[in-house]
Amino acid sequence: MPSNILAIDFGTSNSAAAIVESGQVRHIPVEAGGQTLPTAVFFPQGGGTMRIGEAALDALIAGDEGRFMRALKSILGTSLLHESRLIAGRRRTLSDVITAFLRELRLRSEAATGRSFPRALSGRPVRFHSADDEADARAEEDLRACYLAAGFDEVTFLAEPEAAAIACGGLGGDSGIGLIVDIGGGTSDFSAFRATPEGPEILANHGIRLGGTDFDHALSMAFAMPELGLGGELRREMGEGRLPVPRAPYIDLSTWAKIPFLYTPETRRSVERMVRLAVEPKRMERLSAVLTLELGHELAFAVEAGKISANGDAGAGRIAMDVVEPGLGVPLSSADLDAVLDDARAQLGEAAGRTLAAAGAAPGDIARIVLVGGSSLMGFVESEMRALCPDATSIRANAFTAVVDGLALAAQRAA
């Protein structure tokens, strides 16, 4: 009997839906031509149909008037989720936006399959918030409320690395202990497991609030934001001496989820004042242009593209900032990448080590490391895991679909 449970991987950067048919996982084409769709929305200025996924990205690239948003998952569990804001001529909360995205995902899934899905099995990170139990519990309840408001009668959750273990548990043989390393856009999750005839036996889970968008943030602050005035100085309006340029607007401009909320008259006036007082006004004028023309997301995509290119075989990339000023850009080498992300690498290694300790396993007990999640494609991730477990075989699973595959299999078993 077909399951009426829809498996959904609602990710920080990408999302997917799947079911099991004839014993095989079927990825539902919620995005034409792809197994996943970007977790992005676009609200046209003055009203009109909300666009999601590639259509939202296309609207941004085309320069359509409206509000683009990405990385909304990172807002769950925070007060920002329920703040009402004027978005494309109408007051909405970010909870409303996530609900609208999930509703569209449900409707597309039902249209593609000809079936109704009153129930959802959703992935969730081991920890939405690393060290705040209250915020972590609140984040799951926030997401549950969004699913129910999106038209589902029931939603249950499964830790994302556990889902990946279900999908990938047999990879590399059945001997020894496996370690799932799931590095997503906003969180990093780890599961130590042992394969059994009944499926993977989860020995321990651990997770931290660190992912690809944090990598982007660090690179943007180190390389892109100085070209917009970060690190510069301001002359005092009265008296002698100088003051450092405030970091706050650059922090928000480097944070995917906060970019849309910088485009306010108050922020623009504050930056215009800094332009007048700047020791290097040219750089500050670039920041003013980014806010006036609402180029924050284009700049964030440029940083992300530079990260990916520096991570490639050539080992050299560039953050192309032509959208701000023709010819403007910053070289980005693999060495630069490693230096800026060294702290992130250390955090991932520590988190993986804590997972092994919780499982009662030594590094030498790990037979295979299974890398999933888009950000696991970063070279330093695999390098750090190999350093931790030098005897393990490293396996790259279906980076973008392993979680939804496991969710679909788990949903079928629960039917």
Side-chain angles (χ1 to χ4, degrees):
M1 178 179 177
S3 170
N4 66 353
I5 305 174
L6 181 64
I8 296 179
D9 178 15
F10 174 61
T12 301
S13 300
N14 295 281
S15 294
I19 55 175
V20 171
E21 285 187 343
S22 302
Q24 300 295 317
V25 174
R26 175 189 171 189
H27 299 128
I28 298 174
V30 289
E31 182 77 277
Q35 297 179 327
T36 66
L37 80 162
T39 309
V41 301
F42 182 87
F43 291 95
Q45 188 65 38
T49 303
M50 178 192 74
R51 305 172 201 173
I52 73 170
E54 291 292 343
L57 298 180
D58 290 344
L60 176 70
I61 294 170
D64 293 353
E65 293 290 328
R67 180 60 56 86
F68 177 88
M69 296 181 179
R70 192 187 186 207
L72 294 171
K73 185 178 178 180
S74 62
I75 300 300
L76 293 167
T78 72
S79 60
L80 185 61
L81 183 75
H82 301 291
E83 291 181 7
S84 177
R85 297 177 181 271
L86 190 64
I87 300 173
R90 178 180 147 194
R91 298 205 72 82
R92 315 170 199 257
T93 66
L94 296 185
S95 177
D96 295 332
V97 176
I98 292 175
T99 295
F101 181 90
L102 293 174
R103 180 183 298 113
E104 182 63 19
L105 202 61
R106 177 180 64 82
L107 293 174
R108 291 187 182 188
S109 297
E110 293 180 340
T113 61
R115 291 162 54 180
S116 176
F117 295 106
R119 303 161 66 194
L121 175 60
S122 174
R124 61 149 289 168
V126 174
R127 300 285 304 187
F128 284 98
H129 297 271
S130 295
D132 188 332
D133 291 342
E134 183 178 341
D136 186 69
R138 188 166 57 246
E140 182 176 301
E141 288 310 304
D142 285 341
L143 186 53
R144 185 187 305 279
C146 290
Y147 270 106
L148 297 177
F152 291 98
D153 297 331
E154 177 187 323
V155 58
T156 52
F157 295 95
L158 180 65
E160 289 159 1
E162 288 193 32
I166 293 172
C168 309
L171 292 177
D174 296 333
S175 62
I177 297 173
L179 177 66
I180 296 290
V181 179
D182 179 8
I183 315 298
T187 55
S188 294
D189 295 315
F190 305 84
S191 282
F193 69 96
R194 181 183 289 110
T196 74
E198 293 75 32
E201 175 192 359
I202 302 299
L203 304 178
N205 289 333
H206 184 56
I208 56 175
R209 188 180 171 89
L210 177 73
T213 56
D214 300 291
F215 305 161
D216 295 345
H217 174 81
L219 292 168
S220 184
M221 291 293 286
F223 294 101
M225 293 301 116
E227 297 299 321
L228 307 184
L230 177 63
E233 293 182 313
L234 303 175
R235 296 184 298 273
R236 293 181 181 272
E237 289 188 283
M238 299 182 64
E240 299 182 356
R242 297 174 178 178
L243 299 170
V245 169
R247 291 175 59 84
Y250 299 98
I251 292 172
D252 287 353
L253 191 58
S254 299
T255 304
W256 279 99
K258 294 184 178 180
I259 291 171
F261 307 114
L262 275 173
Y263 305 141
T264 66
E266 293 79 13
T267 302
R268 291 183 176 118
R269 283 195 295 267
S270 175
V271 171
E272 284 303 318
R273 173 178 168 275
M274 289 193 290
V275 170
R276 294 194 302 271
L277 299 174
V279 174
E280 296 181 275
K282 177 63 176 176
R283 293 177 185 269
M284 197 63 65
E285 286 169 0
R286 293 170 181 161
L287 175 61
S288 178
V290 168
L291 297 181
T292 299
L293 301 176
E294 300 189 359
L295 301 175
H297 283 105
E298 288 91 334
L299 184 57
F301 276 115
V303 173
E304 183 180 50
K307 174 189 70 176
I308 293 170
S309 62
N311 184 59
D313 293 336
R318 181 175 181 270
I319 299 176
M321 302 171 65
D322 305 82
V323 67
V324 179
E325 179 183 300
L328 183 64
V330 184
L332 184 64
S333 68
S334 58
D336 294 330
L337 202 69
D338 289 344
V340 172
L341 300 180
D342 187 62
D343 181 62
R345 173 176 178 149
Q347 290 184 61
L348 295 178
E350 179 185 8
R354 289 185 63 179
T355 309
L356 299 188
D365 297 330
I366 304 303
R368 57 201 183 280
I369 297 168
V370 184
L371 297 162
V372 300
S375 294
S376 72
L377 301 175
M378 298 297 295
F380 75 88
V381 174
E382 182 173 5
S383 176
E384 181 65 17
M385 295 305 115
R386 284 183 175 277
L388 177 66
C389 305
D391 298 328
T393 300
S394 180
I395 301 169
R396 289 197 177 277
N398 295 325
F400 296 100
T401 63
V403 170
V404 78
D405 290 351
L407 289 170
L409 293 169
Q412 182 65 25
R413 294 170 188 171

